[in-house]
Amino acid sequence: MKLELVDVTERSDDLCVARVPLFQALTHGEQLDVAAVARPVKTAKGEQIYGAGDNISQLMVVHTGMIKISRISADGQEQIIRVLHPGDFVGESAFLGGGRPDHYATALEAGSMCVFRHQDLGQLIGAHPSIGLRMLQGVSRRLDATEERLAAVTSVEVGGRLARYLVELPAKRSGHDTTRVRLPLAKKDIASLLDTTPESLSRQLRRLQDAGVIALEGARDIVILDIDRLLHLAE
């Protein structure tokens, strides 16, 4: 992947590192030191950032945009593992374990990242041990989420997984007793993330609408009409 360098002077309140939990325990001055070794890059929509087996020697922190992490099965089917949003990072496994990725990272939309060479990251952790601790905490949370997802696949039906996904999306008040959410991904990608098919996802959305739980507006907007029933399904 050819990464495009960003030649910008970031405002003090818009430092990439200031948005990342890894670096939030640092003082602003220390964050400026970290930002000095970060390499800002831009990503284009649909751009493959790296692939399975690539020699990754960088920690990549999402500044803007979204990145999907996915695997390709033997029969060529894509399975989305997770989606990275601003503040999330990837590349820590290669830094901690020295292995190569078994997945692909692809930009879902145009965005930007802060990239750290592993050599620079090692020096930063030596100077600021809290960075290493927070990195391990992030990996631990990711493992917990993976275990929860595996448990849900085997014990929770598609409707329950969809309800849980909807209640976890950022919501805005749209009426007296209703809230509105916007699907951040294409439905085929959401279906992959929920370990189901696009057809099954569409059926479940229609069932929720027919039951008066939600109202579908356009391709991605959803009005939640009965949050209590949706929460019950999510449980």
Side-chain angles (χ1 to χ4, degrees), residues 101-117:
D102 60 354
H103 56 267
Y104 296 79
T106 307
L108 286 169
E109 58 189 27
S112 60
M113 301 187 301
C114 293
V115 178
F116 298 86
R117 296 184 307 167

Side-chain angles (χ1 to χ4, degrees), residues 28-168:
H28 181 67
E30 290 170 336
Q31 288 178 351
L32 290 174
D33 292 339
V34 172
V37 298
R39 187 161 57 98
V41 299
K42 283 184 177 179
T43 54
K45 181 178 180 179
E47 181 179 1
Q48 181 177 302
I49 298 169
Y50 63 80
D54 286 355
N55 185 15
I56 302 299
S57 57
Q58 301 174 123
L59 179 79
M60 292 164 251
V61 178
V62 181
H63 188 203
T64 61
M66 294 188 297
I67 295 172
K68 69 177 178 181
I69 305 298
S70 60
R71 291 192 178 100
I72 306 298
S73 65
D75 60 359
Q77 295 295 316
E78 181 184 46
Q79 173 63 56
I80 297 179
I81 304 170
R82 63 183 180 275
V83 176
L84 306 181
H85 298 89
D88 292 334
F89 58 90
V90 70
E92 79 288 343
S93 295
F95 173 74
L96 295 172
R100 298 194 178 194
D102 60 354
H103 56 267
Y104 296 79
T106 307
L108 286 169
E109 58 189 27
S112 60
M113 301 187 301
C114 293
V115 178
F116 298 86
R117 296 184 307 167
H118 281 179
Q119 179 181 355
D120 294 330
L121 183 61
Q123 293 174 355
L124 287 173
I125 291 176
H128 308 289
S130 65
I131 296 175
L133 176 60
R134 285 176 174 262
M135 185 181 298
L136 290 174
Q137 290 172 338
V139 173
S140 178
R141 286 192 296 270
R142 193 173 296 169
L143 289 174
D144 289 343
T146 299
E147 291 179 356
E148 181 179 344
R149 177 179 173 183
L150 289 174
V153 170
T154 58
S155 62
V156 181
E157 295 183 354
V158 175
R161 300 202 295 272
L162 172 59
R164 184 177 300 176
Y165 179 78
L166 292 178
V167 299
E168 290 177 350

